[in-house]
Amino acid sequence: MSENDFSRCREVVDQFGNRHQLATELARGGQGVVYRTGDPDLAIKQPLGADGAVRLNMDMRSRFQNVLCLPIPSRIPIALPLAVLRDEPGYVMRLLADMEPFSEFELSGQMQTEMAKLQVPKWLAGVPDKRAMLRLMHYAGSGSTKRRLLTLAKCAGVLARLHAAGIVYGDVSPRNCFMSRVDSREVWLIDADNLRFERHGGGETVYTPRYGAPEVVQAVDQSRPRTDAWAFTVMAFEALTLLHPFVGGKVLAVDELNDGWDAKNITTSLPENLEEQAYAGLMPYVDDPDDSSNCAIGGLPRDLVLSSQLVSLFQETLGIGRTQPWRRTSLAYWALELARAHDRSVVCPKCSMSYFLQHNTCPYCGKSKPSLVLAKTSRWEIVMQFSATDFALPHRLLNPFSLDLTGDANYLVSIDLKHKTVSHARGTSPIPTEITFEFLGEGE
């Protein structure tokens, strides 16, 4: 019987007597496992021990009360506990039905098997390595760079709002961050029982392997906003570039050096524990301009997936910030620059990869830039690319960037590509005069 088959046979009861039938497993980490239930908008979190079994001695009621006493910002998308389980450790939380973890951006074994059955698109015909080809197919099929930039921007915004309230999240990882399955309008954090105030000592420190900050992994400091910033930045770099930011030439074995688009011939003799050292922050950042000893092997070209501002933020957090934690960039700045990069991204209608506005043709397949409209104000620019004729203008186009309101739509405009005109949609407010529109692409 599989893990999921076993979970479907289980029923748990919460403190109010409500019965919940466990369904599919959503996410599993070192601290716990999350299950869907018979109610599509509810999930169950249960704590796990080092052996992978449920921690029967965990006092979830105490943790529940501690979390609810925190000054958590209103309307923040975090799956907070609704009720603890009655007869075993765990709690019930709200989680929207159409959500999936950020780990779906990764090519899992099951996905790889399914994708291997698909026809290889022409733009990937020249990629010699089969796994690299499948990873690029999955990258395009899961929303390419543009969707990743948007979900990461929203995730950074949620974390920044917690930090502004003096709260540390503690365990940022692709399995604890969830996004809407189709359009990424919603981004939520789960595992809320790890929320706490920043401490100078004592208490339990939680992190996910591969994403823990060096000072936490090396047990020389506690979880803080800057350790959240580290974990988020590692997750963001991996999602955007398809490369862990510390697994470079010092770490990869000789027979793996030719895997990727920008592979280089490097020969090195590796001790067995080198990968663990990389995850602990004991290796240089793979794109560190001042230290090439662990230079990147493979990964997507940075100029295609990162804006110049994002390149600087990655260097500040993962390069300088590796040994000087106080230099790591605040999550509020990450939210700002990720959103800015998303708004200047174009999706290729031929290969589904995305690229930045300055390219006249798709760098991946060579197709000309599609017809689009660039909306501009003195503070912001946003690419309007659409299948329908109406487009919602976000709050950030006309107002100072807001972590809470940036995704709200203030105006709805109608686009006429044939006549190259933009007008407010029927029944909506007139377009402010400070917005200008420029038609670009094939319709020029």
Side-chain angles (χ1 to χ4, degrees):
M1 180 180 289
S2 70
E3 192 92 39
N4 280 337
D5 289 337
F6 173 74
S7 69
R8 291 190 191 99
C9 301
R10 292 182 58 206
E11 184 180 76
V12 294
V13 182
D14 67 31
Q15 67 190 95
F16 303 113
N18 300 309
R19 297 181 179 275
H20 306 275
Q21 188 73 36
L22 300 189
T24 56
E25 183 179 306
L26 267 178
R28 176 180 291 262
Q31 298 297 315
V33 58
V34 178
Y35 295 105
R36 283 282 186 200
T37 69
D39 186 325
D41 290 329
L42 294 179
I44 300 289
K45 159 75 183 293
Q46 290 200 284
L48 298 178
D51 59 355
V54 175
R55 293 177 63 181
L56 298 177
N57 62 341
M58 177 69 76
D59 183 4
M60 297 304 293
R61 188 178 297 274
S62 170
R63 285 202 170 200
F64 186 4
Q65 294 302 323
N66 289 340
V67 169
L68 294 184
C69 287
L70 294 172
I72 297 172
S74 62
R75 300 191 305 117
I76 192 167
I78 297 178
L80 296 171
L82 298 175
V84 295
L85 300 185
R86 188 173 65 188
D87 301 319
E88 53 186 301
Y91 62 83
V92 183
M93 61 184 176
R94 177 172 174 257
L95 188 63
L96 302 182
D98 73 333
M99 305 203 81
E100 61 186 8
F102 279 24
S103 58
E104 291 297 310
F105 284 143
E106 305 166 6
L107 181 61
S108 66
Q110 182 178 358
M111 290 180 196
Q112 184 170 333
T113 301
E114 293 299 318
M115 296 201 72
K117 302 174 184 177
L118 303 177
Q119 183 177 359
V120 178
K122 291 182 180 180
W123 66 280
L124 286 174
V127 179
D129 184 85
K130 185 174 181 180
R131 174 162 173 78
M133 177 189 68
L134 292 176
R135 292 183 79 192
L136 287 168
M137 287 177 61
H138 175 66
Y139 192 90
S142 56
S144 189
T145 310
K146 191 174 180 75
R147 184 186 180 210
R148 286 163 168 79
L149 289 167
L150 179 60
T151 54
L152 289 166
K154 291 187 174 184
C155 181
V158 176
L159 290 167
R161 292 180 64 198
L162 283 177
H163 294 169
I167 301 172
V168 179
Y169 180 72
D171 192 15
V172 180
S173 79
R175 297 188 180 277
N176 284 340
C177 305
F178 277 67
M179 58 189 169
S180 299
R181 183 172 284 109
V182 178
D183 54 16
S184 302
R185 283 182 300 180
E186 297 277 351
V187 168
W188 283 62
L189 301 182
I190 66 167
D191 229 1
D193 51 304
N194 292 320
L195 296 177
R196 61 173 177 79
F197 288 119
E198 180 178 358
R199 297 192 188 102
H200 293 288
E204 182 181 14
T205 298
V206 177
Y207 68 92
T208 296
R210 292 169 57 94
Y211 304 97
E215 63 272 25
V216 172
V217 177
Q218 298 168 36
V220 297
D221 201 358
Q222 300 291 313
S223 294
R224 304 181 186 277
R226 64 195 186 201
T227 63
D228 280 353
W230 174 277
F232 172 85
T233 307
V234 172
M235 178 178 72
F237 188 88
E238 201 168 28
L240 292 168
T241 69
L242 300 181
L243 178 70
H244 190 281
F246 294 94
V247 179
K250 268 192 173 183
V251 180
L252 295 177
V254 174
D255 59 356
E256 294 177 319
L257 294 184
N258 293 322
D259 180 12
W261 285 10
D262 56 351
K264 302 174 183 177
N265 293 322
I266 298 176
T267 303
T268 178
S269 176
L270 305 173
E272 291 182 357
N273 65 348
L274 217 51
E275 191 165 324
E276 286 73 21
Q277 291 183 26
Y279 296 148
L282 298 174
M283 297 289 179
Y285 170 45
V286 295
D287 286 346
D288 194 322
D290 301 320
D291 189 342
S292 61
S293 62
N294 189 36
C295 63
I297 305 297
L300 288 170
R302 309 301 184 265
D303 60 333
L304 298 186
V305 297
L306 306 179
S307 64
S308 58
Q309 293 92 340
L310 290 177
V311 169
S312 297
L313 296 190
F314 277 115
Q315 168 59 18
E316 192 74 7
T317 300
L318 302 177
I320 301 169
R322 179 174 68 90
T323 55
Q324 301 178 36
W326 56 91
R327 291 286 299 272
R328 294 172 194 163
T329 304
S330 161
L331 271 301
Y333 286 106
W334 277 107
L336 171 69
E337 294 303 340
L338 286 162
R340 195 193 308 275
H342 165 270
D343 287 352
R344 290 186 58 82
S345 295
V346 179
V347 178
C348 176
K350 182 178 179 181
C351 68
S352 298
M353 293 290 276
S354 53
Y355 54 91
F356 294 123
L357 186 63
Q358 64 264 28
H359 296 278
N360 291 322
T361 59
C362 175
Y364 301 96
C365 71
K367 182 174 176 57
S368 299
K369 186 188 299 178
S371 298
L372 50 87
V373 178
L374 182 64
K376 296 190 289 185
T377 63
S378 59
R379 67 175 72 249
W380 204 264
E381 294 183 353
I382 183 168
V383 169
M384 299 196 295
Q385 185 181 355
F386 31 76
S387 55
T389 57
D390 291 345
F391 192 92
L393 299 178
H395 179 274
R396 58 185 176 270
L397 182 64
L398 285 157
N399 302 278
F401 188 81
S402 166
L403 297 172
D404 188 17
L405 303 174
T406 185
D408 290 2
N410 285 14
Y411 299 91
L412 187 66
V413 297
S414 294
I415 310 294
D416 186 338
L417 287 174
K418 182 178 179 181
H419 298 97
K420 294 189 177 182
T421 59
V422 181
S423 59
H424 65 275
R426 187 172 182 178
T428 63
S429 302
I431 306 170
T433 56
E434 59 262 42
I435 305 178
T436 61
F437 299 93
E438 181 181 355
F439 285 78
L440 303 171
E442 293 178 339
E444 293 178 302

